[in-house]
Amino acid sequence: MSKGEALSLIDGSRDPGVWGEIEWSRRRSASCSGEMSGLTADGVAVTLAITVRLMRPWEPTVLYRCGAITWRIDHNGSHRGRLFTHLQAEDKDDPAWAGSFVRDLGDVGLFSPIVGEAPSGSELEATLRSSASYLHVNVDGVTWIDPPEGVQ
């Protein structure tokens, strides 16, 4: 996928939407992920997920996958020695451009948990919904379920 096609995934032109109950799973002992699936307006499958690290729950990551592209918003995450909320891309077809793409999201008004405090379920939901809004992913059809005990 070209950089332009990848950027079209987050500019609102493909009108992606996800729906249903969020499904939580522990993929590793150190984190828990909740995800839901959907489609773009042109019928391409997408996935939206939130991952919460158990040792640092105030640093959730929201992932938006479509084809070979994954957009990742790291809330309060570290990148090159700096702690900030930022957007990164992963492109299996063209890792060169994606590896260098980092956008600081500190001034766009995303909801992020307070550093050093474990977020509540409603704070994680607000994090997911504000991230989805920034990525132009419609989550109106999502039913939020709080993560399992020990995650929040």
Side-chain angles (χ1 to χ4, degrees):
M1 186 176 286
S2 73
K3 180 178 179 181
E5 290 171 316
L7 290 170
S8 77
L9 291 173
I10 61 169
D11 70 4
S13 65
R14 302 222 21 218
D15 197 28
V18 294
W19 53 84
E21 273 188 7
I22 189 166
E23 294 183 25
W24 290 95
S25 64
R26 283 193 188 213
R27 296 200 173 148
R28 299 175 297 189
S29 61
S31 66
C32 189
S33 293
E35 67 179 53
M36 61 238 78
S37 299
L39 298 169
T40 62
D42 53 350
V44 178
V46 299
T47 302
L48 186 70
I50 184 168
T51 299
V52 181
R53 290 162 200 76
L54 301 181
M55 297 301 288
R56 294 183 322 275
W58 54 85
E59 296 179 15
T61 297
V62 175
L63 300 170
Y64 165 44
R65 295 182 192 98
C66 183
I69 300 290
T70 300
W71 289 102
R72 184 177 82 229
I73 296 179
D74 291 322
H75 289 266
N76 306 317
S78 178
H79 182 75
R80 297 186 180 153
R82 193 170 145 229
L83 189 68
F84 65 114
T85 297
H86 58 280
L87 175 69
Q88 289 184 268
E90 298 171 17
D91 185 344
K92 293 177 184 172
D93 295 338
D94 187 1
W97 81 264
S100 64
F101 183 94
V102 177
R103 183 180 291 170
D104 186 337
L105 302 179
D107 62 350
V108 299
L110 293 181
F111 181 90
S112 292
I114 297 171
V115 174
E117 295 183 16
S120 67
S122 61
E123 290 170 326
L124 290 173
E125 178 182 13
T127 300
L128 175 75
R129 290 187 185 277
S130 72
S131 298
S133 177
Y134 177 80
L135 296 167
H136 296 281
V137 178
N138 183 330
V139 292
D140 290 344
V142 169
T143 302
W144 177 263
I145 305 293
D146 282 347
E149 287 295 316
V151 174
Q152 45 190 346

